[in-house]
């Protein structure tokens, strides 16, 4: 679909696109072209341009973007994981394999941080094949420990802090996902490539 633009408040524009990959590509491309906006925030099927100073210039810029153009690869972050999560056996059953094969398959994928949400530093990591999608829990856990590595649908994520959550837990990492003093504060900012390594 073409990009559909909607005003979103007094100085913001919401661009609607096909999917998370298109949103990341548009956001990355717009930043690389020096878009005149204070913030560019990709999501699952939208990009928010906030603090827009010249709507006509933004419209012209977005019109020049070619949908289908992939985002340029970002930096690579490797996360060591202790695979001891309470949902490993469930995922193994859903995939029709043993736990060792779950660990191998999970670590074989190179994920890309499509966007951040839910909690500061929580990145929605795309890349898991559709045939490995797993359902969320029917009822979320009241508390998921910080550093938990999890799956839901075809998304992978790492909980940056303790919080409720309904994703399937595979294991845990000691990596610090959110540091307000860092630049950027999110370790897995949109566009970052991510690989998981068995730490055992």
């Amino acid at each position: 679909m073409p990009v559909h633009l909607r005003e979103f408040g007094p100085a913001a524009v919401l661009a609607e696109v096909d999917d998370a990959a298109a949103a990341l590509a548009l956001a990355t491309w717009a930043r690389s072209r020096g878009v005149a906006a204070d913030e560019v925030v990709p999501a699952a099927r939208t990009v928010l341009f906030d603090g827009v100073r010249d709507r006509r210039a933004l419209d012209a810029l977005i019109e020049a973007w070619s949908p289908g153009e992939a985002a340029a690869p970002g930096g690579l972050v490797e996360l060591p994981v202790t695979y001891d999560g309470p949902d490993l056996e469930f995922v193994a059953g859903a995939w029709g394999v043993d736990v060792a094969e779950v660990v191998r398959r999970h670590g074989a994928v190179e994920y890309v941080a499509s966007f951040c949400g839910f909690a500061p530093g929580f990145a929605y990591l795309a890349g898991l094949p559709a045939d490995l999608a797993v359902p969320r829990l029917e009822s979320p856990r009241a508390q998921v420990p910080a550093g938990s590595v999890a799956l839901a649908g075809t998304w992978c994520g790492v909980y940056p802090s303790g919080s409720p959550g309904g994703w399937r837990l595979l294991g845990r990492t000691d990596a610090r996902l959110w540091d307000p003093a860092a630049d950027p504060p999110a370790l897995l900012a949109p566009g970052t490539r991510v690989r998981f390594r068995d730490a055992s």
Side-chain angles (χ1 to χ4, degrees):
M1 82 176 203
V3 179
H4 178 67
L5 301 179
R6 291 192 301 148
E7 290 190 2
F8 204 74
V13 174
L14 192 70
E16 298 175 338
V17 295
D18 281 336
D19 52 30
L24 177 60
L26 173 58
T28 303
W29 183 87
R31 287 193 198 103
S32 73
R33 298 305 189 276
V35 62
D38 294 335
E39 290 191 76
V40 180
V41 185
R45 292 184 178 175
T46 61
V47 180
L48 178 67
F49 295 90
D50 196 13
V52 175
R53 295 180 285 282
D54 186 338
R55 173 61 193 269
R56 287 186 181 180
L58 177 65
D59 288 356
L61 181 73
I62 292 176
E63 190 174 339
W65 178 65
S66 299
E69 179 180 338
L76 177 66
V77 172
E78 185 178 90
L79 299 177
V81 179
T82 300
Y83 286 94
D84 60 357
D87 296 315
L88 267 175
E89 292 286 352
F90 175 89
V91 174
W95 291 358
V97 299
D98 61 17
V99 166
E101 181 63 8
V102 170
V103 172
R104 190 198 69 75
R105 290 187 183 186
H106 183 250
V109 176
E110 182 173 279
Y111 301 87
V112 176
S114 291
F115 59 95
C116 293
F118 171 65
F122 186 95
Y124 287 77
L125 306 176
L128 194 69
D131 63 341
L132 298 184
V134 294
R136 297 171 185 250
L137 294 170
E138 290 185 11
S139 297
R141 292 180 171 91
Q143 186 70 11
V144 174
S148 293
V149 177
L151 301 177
T154 58
W155 295 107
C156 181
V158 184
Y159 287 78
S161 57
S163 69
W167 290 31
R168 301 287 178 173
L169 306 183
L170 299 184
R172 53 197 162 83
T173 181
D174 292 331
R176 187 171 185 185
L177 279 292
W178 178 254
D179 180 359
D183 183 21
L187 177 64
L188 307 181
T192 305
R193 295 175 297 129
V194 181
R195 279 198 173 273
F196 295 94
R197 173 176 55 81
D198 186 359
S200 62

